[in-house]
Amino acid sequence: MRGETTLWNPGCDHAGIATQVVVEKKLWRERGQTRHDLGREAFVREVWKWKSEKGDRIYHQLKKLGSSMDWDRACFTMDPKLSYAVQEAFIRLHEEGVIYRSKRLVNWSCTLHSAISDIEVYEEVVVATTRVETMLGDTAVAVHPQDPRYQHLHGKHVLHPFTGRRMPIVCDDFVDMGFGTGAVKITPAHDHNDYEVGQRHGLDCVTIIDDSGSLINVPPPFLGMKRFEARGAVLEALKQKGLFKEVKDNPMVVPVCSRSKDVVEPLLKPQWYVRCEGLARGAADAVRRGDLRILPPFHCKTWFQWMDNIRDWCISRQLWWGHRIPAYFVTVDDPSVPPGEDTDGRYWVSGRSEEEAKDKAAKAFGVTLDKISLRQDDDVLDTWFSSGLFPFSIFGWPNASEDLKVFYPGTLLETGHDILFFWVARMVMLGLKLTGKLPFREVYLHAVVRDAHGRKMSKSLGNVIDPLDVISGITLEGLHVQLLESNLEPAEVERARQGQKSDYPAGIPECGTDALRFALCAYTSQGRDINLDVSRILGYRHFCNKLWNATKFAVRGLGAGFQPPPGPEPSGAESLIDRWILSRLSLAVELSDAGFRAYDFPAVTTAVYNFWLYELCDVYLECLKPVFAEGGAAAVSAARCTLYSCLDAGLRLLSPFMPFCLDSGAADAASRCSAYIRGLSSSGLVRVLGPGEAPPAGCAVAVASDKCTVHLLLKGLIDAEKEISKLAGKQGELQKQIERLRERMETPDYGTKVPPKVQEADAAKLQQSRTELQKVTEAVETFQRMI
C-alpha cells in the first residue's frame, strides 16, 4: 500500500520424517507392505505420488486465507534448483571442515530406525525405577572425589555380576553425593551424561541395544531380548544372585520421540555433524549488536541460552525421503593404504558427482583412479538443513542472479516461536556462513494456535481446526468423515470423534476468511499461545456484516454524482460532528500505524474496530441521517466529503485484515465501468459494435450491466496461455469443491440427520460454486479464442 517493492515468496519443505511416516502407514494400511518390500526407488515414487495428491493443500489454504504471495515463485525443497543448493552447501562446508563425520551418542528412534534431533525429543516426567537393563553395558562406577564413604576405593575395580567385566571406580564431580547411595553406574554407550564421563576417563563404550531396541553384546539369557522385556529379567536375575537390595520410587526424565512416540534410546552411531560453535557465535552477536531483531524481545533470552551453549548439529537421518548426502566412502585397492573405518573422516569425500568424488579420493590418497572404489552414503540430510538455505536457495544460490541481488537479504521472517531453533537459528547460521549476510533483519515470532481449552491441536484428540472449515463451515458429520480419511488408528479415530462431538456438537459455522484473519490478529494479545474459540470468530463475522451495511448506507448518502475532494485537507465548512469524526479517524490512523510498526496487531485491530463500530457507525452515521434529510447544501457537501474521507481511510486500515470483504469495493461498479470505457476508447482498445455484429477474435468480454457489454481488444497485450493456466487451477479447485459438496449431500441419511438450515447452506454453496465454475469456464474459452 506504500508503493514499496515487496516480495512474499511461498514455499514448502519436504518434511522428511513426518512425510515418510505418513506414507509408510498408508502403504501398510492399504497394501500390507513396508518400504523395504518396495525398495528405495519405488518407495520414493510413492512419496512423490502422495505429495502430488496432498502436498498442495497448504497452498490452497493460504490462497483461501488471502495470502498475497507471488505464486509463480512457489518453491519446494526437493525441486532441482533447491536440491542443487543443498548439495553445494554440503560440499562447501565439508571441504572447509565445518561438516565432519564422527561416531557419537545420538538420540535413536527404534521405531523410525533413524537418529533424530535433540529438539525433536520431548521429555515427560514420570515416577519409575532406573533403567536396570542398561547395567549390562556398564563399564565403570563413579563416585564423588570428596565423598568420605568411597575414598578408600579410589583407583580400585569391581566385577560386573553378569559379564565378569572388570570395571574401574572413577572419581567425577558430576556425582551427587546426596542422591541415592552416591555411587553411580556408568553406561557410556547409552546415556548422554555417562558418555561425557566416559570421554573424560577413557572408558570403553559397549553398545548393548541395536537399532530395533533388542539386546546385543550381552550374555545369555538376555541376548536378543527386547529392551523393556530385559528390564524385568535383569531385576529377577539380581534377586536370584542375592544382589538385589530394594526398589524405591525415583522421579526420572524419559525422552520420547515427538514423531513416533517411542522412548528414545541414546546409541553410539556414526553420523554427519555441523560444527556450530563459531556459527552460533555469529548468530548471537548479530542479535546483541541489534543487526537482527527478535520480536517479542523476551525470546532473546532463549536465543542466547541456546546459542551460547550449542552442541554440534547431527544432520544425517537414516531415511529414504529427502536429500541424499553427497558423500562417498572410499576403498583403496592398494597395499600401501590400510582399510578405512566408517568414522574416519579421511575415508569420506564429497562431490557433485561420483566422478568428481573419485577424482578427489585419488588425489587425497595419491593413487590412480582405477584403484578407487566408492560407496555413496545411504542417509539423507535433516530437513532443516535444506530449509535453512531457503532465504537464498529460492533465488538461485550459489549462482549469481538479479533476484538474489535484489531480494536477498530479506526484511522480515514471520514464524512460530516453537521452531525458533529448528528453523530460525539454522537460517541465520547458514546465511551468515554461506553468503556473509543475515538472511533478514527482523524475526517476528507469532503465537501457537491451540484449541479453546488451551490444548495443543492433535488429530488424535479431534481438536484440529482446519482454517478452510472455519471459512466455509462444516457439519459434525463432515468432521467425522475427515477422520476416516486420516492416518489415525481405529481407537484414535473413535477418541477423536468424541472430541469433535464435545467441542463442535453442531459443527463449525461459516465464518468467512476476513473474520478468521481479523480474529487471529486480535488474539495475539493473549501472549505466547492462542486459545482459538470459534464463537469469537463468528462475532467478527457479524462485524463484517456491520461494515457491509454501513458502507452501503454511506455510498447511498454520497449520491450518484459525488466527486471526492481534491485533497485530504478539510474545507473549513465542517460541522462540529464532522470535525469530531475526523479527529477520531486521525487517532485510529495514528494508532494503527504505530501498531503495525511495533507488530502490535491487537492494537491495530482494536483501533480500527472501535473507530468503525463505536464511532463511525454508532455515532457519526446516525448524526448524518437528519443532515442528509434536512440539511443545507453547504452542510451536506461538507458531510459528504467528511464521510468519503472516513470511508477511504477506514477501508484502507481494514484491508490488511479483510481483503475479501473490501475487494467488493464501496463504489458502484457500473459508474466505474463507464469511466474505464471513456479512457480506453481513445486508445482503440474498445470496439463499438453495430446491431448483430459479432466481436472480432482476440476480445475479452465483460458484462457491465443489463444494457452494456464491453469488448476489449486484448490480443497481443496479455499472455493468454498464462491466464488460461491460472484459470485452470481455479477450475480444478471449484470442481473439487463441487464434488465434495455433492458427495456430502449424497451420503445416506443426509436428508434425515443433517439440520434443514445446513442443507439449505450446502445447496446454496453448491449453486454458488457451479455459477463461479461457469464464469471461469467462459473466461477460459475467451482466452482460448485469443490464441
Side-chain angles (χ1 to χ4, degrees):
M1 293 175 72
R2 284 189 155 95
E4 298 176 0
T5 299
T6 307
L7 171 63
W8 187 5
N9 204 115
C12 282
D13 67 41
H14 57 280
I17 293 176
T19 302
Q20 179 158 319
V21 168
V22 166
V23 177
E24 284 194 89
K25 283 185 175 180
K26 183 174 183 288
L27 278 174
W28 182 254
R29 186 177 65 251
E30 295 178 355
R31 306 184 198 173
Q33 290 181 313
T34 69
R35 61 184 167 111
H36 300 285
D37 295 328
L38 270 67
R40 184 168 189 150
E41 290 186 8
F43 176 76
V44 170
R45 284 197 297 270
E46 288 293 326
V47 180
W48 275 109
K49 180 181 176 183
W50 181 89
K51 191 265 178 186
S52 66
E53 294 172 355
K54 305 288 187 180
D56 288 339
R57 181 169 178 78
I58 190 170
Y59 284 167
H60 179 60
Q61 291 172 327
L62 286 168
K63 289 176 182 178
K64 286 291 186 182
L65 283 166
S67 300
S68 52
M69 297 181 174
D70 187 341
W71 293 106
D72 291 339
R73 294 175 176 267
C75 292
F76 179 52
T77 47
M78 293 290 284
D79 288 343
K81 179 173 70 174
L82 275 67
S83 296
Y84 177 73
V86 171
Q87 174 184 268
E88 188 67 23
F90 182 93
I91 293 169
R92 290 188 184 188
L93 295 175
H94 181 235
E95 289 176 341
E96 195 176 330
V98 176
I99 288 179
Y100 64 96
R101 182 84 168 172
S102 179
K103 186 176 183 179
R104 295 185 176 184
L105 209 58
V106 298
N107 294 309
W108 185 265
S109 168
C110 296
T111 298
L112 298 174
H113 279 234
S114 176
I116 58 175
S117 167
D118 292 345
I119 43 183
E120 286 175 313
V121 176
Y122 68 86
E123 296 179 342
E124 180 180 285
V125 178
V126 299
V127 174
T129 59
T130 54
R131 301 183 64 204
V132 181
E133 69 277 10
T134 62
M135 72 170 292
L136 297 169
D138 291 350
T139 59
V141 172
V143 297
H144 195 281
Q146 296 178 3
D147 192 333
R149 293 171 292 178
Y150 302 114
Q151 287 186 350
H152 66 290
L153 297 177
H154 293 182
K156 306 290 186 179
H157 290 75
V158 294
L159 290 177
H160 195 289
F162 297 119
T163 67
R165 189 180 298 122
R166 192 168 179 265
M167 306 186 301
I169 297 175
V170 299
C171 299
D172 201 288
D173 291 338
F174 104 98
V175 179
D176 183 354
M177 289 187 290
F179 182 78
T181 65
V184 181
K185 69 185 194 67
I186 303 299
T187 320
H190 296 284
D191 182 272
H192 290 284
N193 290 326
D194 290 6
Y195 177 77
E196 293 176 2
V197 173
Q199 293 296 296
R200 288 196 290 271
H201 297 282
L203 302 177
D204 291 336
C205 291
V206 180
T207 298
I208 63 162
I209 300 176
D210 68 10
D211 295 355
S212 301
S214 299
L215 265 58
I216 58 174
N217 300 323
V218 296
F222 311 115
L223 186 65
M225 284 185 178
K226 286 293 185 181
R227 51 187 168 152
F228 300 131
E229 177 190 357
R231 179 172 298 172
V234 170
L235 185 61
E236 183 61 31
L238 286 172
K239 291 178 180 179
Q240 291 177 3
K241 285 179 174 284
L243 298 175
F244 171 74
K245 300 297 182 183
E246 62 180 340
V247 172
K248 287 185 178 180
D249 287 342
N250 173 44
M252 291 180 60
V253 175
V254 178
V256 178
C257 174
S258 63
R259 302 293 186 184
S260 65
K261 308 301 184 254
D262 185 25
V263 174
V264 170
E265 284 295 342
L267 293 182
L268 279 170
K269 291 286 181 182
Q271 303 285 336
W272 292 100
Y273 290 87
V274 174
R275 300 185 197 276
C276 289
E277 185 178 356
L279 303 182
R281 190 183 308 117
D285 290 346
V287 176
R288 289 190 171 102
R289 288 193 306 268
D291 297 340
L292 176 65
R293 293 180 64 210
I294 298 178
L295 302 166
F298 63 79
H299 289 295
C300 291
K301 181 179 179 182
T302 313
W303 178 265
F304 292 135
Q305 286 177 341
W306 179 270
M307 291 300 182
D308 294 343
N309 300 282
I310 199 167
R311 291 191 290 185
D312 286 356
W313 172 19
C314 175
I315 57 172
S316 45
R317 299 289 181 268
Q318 289 64 55
L319 305 172
W320 287 355
W321 173 241
H323 295 101
R324 192 168 176 183
I325 295 176
Y328 302 80
F329 183 73
V330 180
T331 301
V332 184
D333 185 15
D334 191 301
S336 64
V337 180
E341 295 287 338
D342 181 274
T343 54
D344 190 339
R346 293 179 305 156
Y347 288 85
W348 284 93
V349 293
S350 56
R352 296 160 188 83
S353 65
E354 188 169 338
E355 291 73 19
E356 180 184 335
K358 184 174 285 191
D359 187 59
K360 281 185 180 180
K363 291 178 180 177
F365 289 99
V367 297
T368 56
L369 288 173
D370 61 301
K371 300 290 186 181
I372 297 293
S373 298
L374 299 179
R375 171 182 58 82
Q376 186 176 359
D377 197 331
D378 286 328
D379 294 351
V380 300
L381 287 163
D382 179 12
T383 301
W384 298 105
F385 186 86
S386 51
S387 296
L389 308 175
F390 192 82
F392 46 94
S393 64
I394 58 176
F395 300 125
W397 182 93
N399 299 320
S401 69
E402 186 67 18
D403 280 352
L404 190 61
K405 181 180 177 181
V406 172
F407 294 118
Y408 184 84
T411 305
L412 169 71
L413 171 73
E414 182 270 342
T415 189
H417 68 77
D418 55 331
I419 56 173
L420 181 61
F421 303 114
F422 280 107
W423 195 25
V424 183
R426 314 301 196 199
M427 286 189 283
V428 173
M429 291 192 297
L430 291 172
L432 285 171
K433 180 63 181 175
L434 293 169
T435 73
K437 300 175 184 178
L438 286 166
F440 27 73
R441 297 196 300 270
E442 292 183 320
V443 178
Y444 176 71
L445 300 170
H446 66 235
V448 171
V449 181
R450 297 178 179 271
D451 70 7
H453 311 291
R455 301 174 303 177
K456 187 174 181 180
M457 291 192 183
S458 165
K459 288 182 180 178
S460 61
L461 291 177
N463 64 342
V464 173
I465 301 176
D466 187 328
L468 300 183
D469 293 338
V470 178
I471 292 169
S472 303
I474 189 171
T475 64
L476 179 61
E477 291 78 9
L479 292 171
H480 290 345
V481 169
Q482 291 178 354
L483 293 176
L484 297 175
E485 296 172 353
S486 68
N487 272 324
L488 294 178
E489 299 296 331
E492 292 179 314
V493 169
E494 183 54 36
R495 182 173 66 160
R497 282 171 57 92
Q498 295 305 316
Q500 290 177 338
K501 189 175 181 180
S502 173
D503 288 345
Y504 317 111
I508 297 176
E510 181 180 358
C511 298
T513 296
D514 292 333
L516 176 58
R517 288 170 61 108
F518 199 90
L520 288 173
C521 291
Y523 256 116
T524 55
S525 61
Q526 292 186 5
R528 292 174 66 95
D529 293 336
I530 289 175
N531 296 347
L532 191 63
D533 188 349
V534 174
S535 63
R536 184 170 173 183
I537 302 173
L538 193 60
Y540 287 120
R541 178 191 174 184
H542 299 149
F543 176 54
C544 292
N545 293 338
K546 186 84 170 179
L547 291 172
W548 182 258
N549 291 327
T551 304
K552 282 171 61 180
F553 168 80
V555 170
R556 285 198 304 270
L558 292 177
F562 174 77
Q563 292 293 326
E569 297 81 8
S571 65
E574 289 79 14
S575 66
L576 179 62
I577 193 65
D578 291 336
R579 295 198 299 273
W580 175 80
I581 194 63
L582 289 173
S583 74
R584 306 318 297 165
L585 173 63
S586 178
L587 177 62
V589 170
E590 181 182 342
L591 293 174
S592 297
D593 187 59
F596 275 123
R597 291 180 186 277
Y599 299 101
D600 186 359
F601 301 114
V604 185
T605 55
T606 299
V608 178
Y609 186 88
N610 289 345
F611 170 75
W612 271 92
L613 199 61
Y614 302 127
E615 294 165 351
L616 185 65
C617 292
D618 287 358
V619 178
Y620 186 65
L621 294 186
E622 293 300 318
C623 292
L624 285 187
K625 291 177 181 178
V627 175
F628 287 157
E630 304 170 1
V636 170
S637 177
R640 283 175 171 166
C641 289
T642 300
L643 178 57
Y644 177 85
S645 296
C646 290
L647 282 180
D648 181 52
L651 292 172
R652 290 175 188 273
L653 292 177
L654 276 170
S655 63
F657 305 104
M658 298 183 166
F660 292 105
C661 189
L662 303 182
D663 189 50
S664 301
D668 181 74
S671 64
R672 288 205 310 267
C673 185
S674 63
Y676 290 146
I677 293 174
R678 287 195 301 271
L680 291 170
S681 59
S682 60
S683 67
L685 297 177
V686 174
R687 177 72 175 269
V688 179
L689 303 178
E693 184 180 353
C699 277
V701 180
V703 178
S705 71
D706 58 348
K707 298 179 180 178
C708 174
T709 301
V710 182
H711 299 272
L712 298 178
L713 300 175
L714 299 179
K715 187 172 184 179
L717 298 177
I718 62 174
D719 187 340
E721 292 183 351
K722 186 175 181 180
E723 295 301 322
I724 290 172
S725 177
K726 289 181 180 178
L727 290 170
K730 191 166 185 179
Q731 274 183 312
E733 291 179 11
L734 288 168
Q735 286 166 347
K736 289 179 182 177
Q737 187 172 331
I738 290 169
E739 188 61 30
R740 283 197 298 269
L741 285 167
R742 285 182 61 256
E743 287 178 359
R744 182 194 304 178
M745 296 168 71
E746 291 173 1
T747 54
D749 302 327
Y750 176 83
T752 56
K753 289 188 175 181
V754 178
K757 287 186 178 180
V758 176
Q759 293 186 38
E760 291 175 8
D762 285 347
K765 287 181 204 171
L766 183 60
Q767 182 58 43
Q768 182 182 357
S769 298
R770 285 171 171 166
T771 302
E772 289 183 23
L773 180 60
Q774 178 63 29
K775 290 180 180 178
V776 173
T777 302
E778 290 173 356
V780 170
E781 292 172 353
T782 298
F783 284 118
Q784 286 174 338
R785 287 196 296 269
M786 294 172 57
I787 298 176

